[in-house]
Amino acid sequence: MAELACETIQIAYFAPYSYERHQDLLAAVQTHPLVTLEHLGDTLDKRDLTLVKIGDGDTNKRNIWITARQHPGETMAEWLVEGLLYSLLDSDNANSRLLLDKANFYIVPNMNPDGSVRGHLRTNAAGTNLNREWASPSLDKSPEVFYVIKKMEETGVDLFYDVHGDEALPYAFLAGSQGTPSYNERLAHLRDRFSDALKLANADFQTEVGYEIDAPGEGEHDACNPLGR
C-alpha cells in the first residue's frame, strides 16, 4: 500500500465554494459594462456583503432579486449563481439578452460570508439562521438580512429568487410562498407560469419531488422569506 503524502484529509459533503473563489467571481464580473458592485454593509466579522447589480437602471424595467447561501454550507447555491452570472453576461446568449431588456438584476452571491469562512452549515458568526430572520432582522444578530431588506425597499422587488440546497432531497425544485397569508390566485398563477418556464429551460428541474405545500396562512415560514427552513 502506498504511503500517504499528507497527514490530514478533508472530505466535503457538498462541492466546496471557497471565499477566495467568491472574491474572484466578484472581480471577474465587475469588469462588464452592465455590472456594478455595491457594498451593502459589513458582516459581524467585518466582511463585505456585496451586491452585484446587472442592468442599465431603467426604472420601467422589472427588478429581480436573487440571493444565495443564507445557509453557508449549501455551496451548490453559489455554484448556481456563478453560472447564472456568466450566462446573463454572455452577449451570445439570446435568453439573457431578452431578460436584460426587460429586467434589472440584483444578486447577492453569498448572503453569509462569515459562516462560509468559519465552516458553518446553517448560521452566521452570531450563530443565527439567517433564513429565519426576515420578519425582524437586527444589526446585532443578522445584519446580512437587515442590509438586503433595506436595499430591497429602495429598489422594489418584482421577483425574489432565494437559492438553497437540501442534503436530503437531491432534486431541483421550487419551494414557493403558498403558506404565506398574502398568497392568492394571482400569485399562484405566476408561480405556475414560472415553474412551467423552468421545465422548458432546464431538464433537471422537476415538480414531482419537493417540500409539502402549506395552505395559505398555515405555513411555518417567515414573513418575507417563503422557504423559512
Side-chain angles (χ1 to χ4, degrees), residues 190-205:
L190 290 173
R191 184 190 183 282
D192 288 343
R193 289 184 61 190
F194 185 50
S195 179
D196 290 341
L198 285 175
K199 286 182 181 179
L200 291 174
N202 190 336
D204 288 329
F205 178 76

Side-chain angles (χ1 to χ4, degrees), residues 61-79:
K61 292 182 177 181
R62 301 291 188 181
N63 293 319
I64 296 176
W65 273 82
I66 299 172
T67 60
R69 288 188 82 177
Q70 286 198 79
H71 295 146
E74 296 168 7
T75 52
M76 70 287 281
E78 192 162 7
W79 282 108

Side-chain angles (χ1 to χ4, degrees), residues 1 13 52 74 121 123 146 194 196 223:
M1 182 176 179
Y13 197 82
V52 180
E74 296 168 7
L121 176 61
T123 60
F146 180 92
F194 185 50
D196 290 341

Side-chain angles (χ1 to χ4, degrees), residues 68-211:
R69 288 188 82 177
Q70 286 198 79
H71 295 146
E74 296 168 7
T75 52
M76 70 287 281
E78 192 162 7
W79 282 108
L80 183 149
V81 167
E82 177 181 306
L84 172 66
L85 285 170
Y86 286 132
S87 292
L88 282 174
L89 300 176
D90 181 1
S91 60
D92 294 326
N93 189 317
N95 288 331
S96 297
R97 293 199 305 271
L98 183 60
L99 283 169
L100 292 174
D101 283 342
K102 296 178 179 294
N104 298 304
F105 283 81
Y106 299 86
I107 302 174
V108 183
N110 190 337
M111 281 284 293
N112 199 336
D114 289 351
S116 301
V117 173
R118 286 168 172 253
H120 294 181
L121 176 61
R122 298 174 69 81
T123 60
N124 69 355
T128 301
N129 183 344
L130 297 181
N131 211 39
R132 301 299 179 94
E133 291 290 299
W134 288 76
S136 56
S138 70
L139 291 175
D140 293 332
K141 291 179 57 183
S142 50
E144 302 90 346
V145 177
F146 180 92
Y147 290 128
V148 167
I149 289 180
K150 182 179 179 181
K151 187 64 180 182
M152 284 178 162
E153 291 172 344
E154 177 185 321
T155 65
V157 182
D158 293 293
L159 170 66
F160 177 28
Y161 193 40
D162 182 36
V163 187
H164 283 259
D166 192 304
E167 60 273 20
L169 292 176
Y171 302 92
F173 61 96
L174 287 179
S177 54
Q178 294 98 324
T180 58
S182 60
Y183 198 72
N184 54 33
E185 289 186 7
R186 173 180 173 273
L187 293 177
H189 175 67
L190 290 173
R191 184 190 183 282
D192 288 343
R193 289 184 61 190
F194 185 50
S195 179
D196 290 341
L198 285 175
K199 286 182 181 179
L200 291 174
N202 190 336
D204 288 329
F205 178 76
Q206 53 82 52
T207 56
E208 287 73 31
V209 180
Y211 300 138

